[in-house]
């Protein structure tokens, strides 16, 4: 009896099992739908990442322009770092979303 991993919950199961004992997913027939669910979960995760990056970006802008004047000293550094991280993180996440969508087609 060989072991394999469940496409849904990633737990170790027997390759002869017709139903995953952990998450009750039927494994015998259509694993493409299982893969599809995984893809959707991945894109949901990427959307969350892009939302977090966007929040960091906005936080950077808020820190930078807090009180209506341009930041100076440590506030400028904090604002700049948040701004840069949010911006780069957002761009990377957008690229990953596009690549992920391309794989689905
Ligand atoms: Zn499972």
């Amino acid at each position: 009896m060989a072991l394999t991993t469940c496409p849904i919950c990633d737990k170790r199961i027997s390759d002869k099992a017709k139903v995953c004992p952990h998450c009750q997913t039927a494994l015998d027939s259509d694993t493409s739908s299982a893969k599809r669910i995984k893809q959707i979960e991945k894109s949901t995760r990427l959307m969350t990442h892009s939302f977090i990056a966007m929040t960091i970006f906005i936080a950077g802008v808020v820190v930078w322009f807090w009180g209506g004047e341009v930041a100076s000293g440590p506030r400028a550094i904090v604002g700049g770092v948040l701004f840069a991280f949010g911006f780069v993180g957002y761009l990377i996440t957008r690229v990953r979303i596009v690549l992920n969508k391309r794989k689905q087609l």
Side-chain angles (χ1 to χ4, degrees):
M1 187 175 88
L3 284 174
T4 182
T5 51
C6 170
I8 302 299
C9 65
D10 276 331
K11 285 184 176 138
R12 309 215 91 201
I13 51 169
S14 161
D15 64 349
K16 290 194 176 65
K18 286 189 170 67
V19 175
C20 173
H22 305 288
C23 64
Q24 318 303 327
T25 306
L27 302 163
D28 52 341
S29 55
D30 194 14
T31 50
S32 72
S33 71
K35 277 181 188 149
R36 180 115 188 94
I37 290 164
K38 259 212 152 173
Q39 278 267 312
I40 291 163
E41 280 174 353
K42 195 185 172 189
S43 64
T44 307
R45 213 162 38 233
L46 285 171
M47 287 308 284
T48 309
H49 285 177
S50 82
F51 180 75
I52 291 166
M54 195 63 144
T55 306
I56 292 169
F57 178 77
I58 290 165
V61 173
V62 168
V63 169
W64 192 273
F65 292 110
W66 192 260
E69 52 190 68
V70 175
S72 59
R75 196 156 63 90
I77 296 166
V78 171
V81 167
L82 287 175
F83 190 84
F85 263 97
F87 188 69
V88 171
Y90 184 73
L91 281 183
I92 291 169
T93 313
R94 289 313 299 189
V95 169
R96 287 179 65 199
I97 287 168
V98 169
L99 290 177
N100 190 44
K101 277 206 181 118
R102 219 170 261 170
K103 238 192 300 176
Q104 280 177 3
L105 298 171

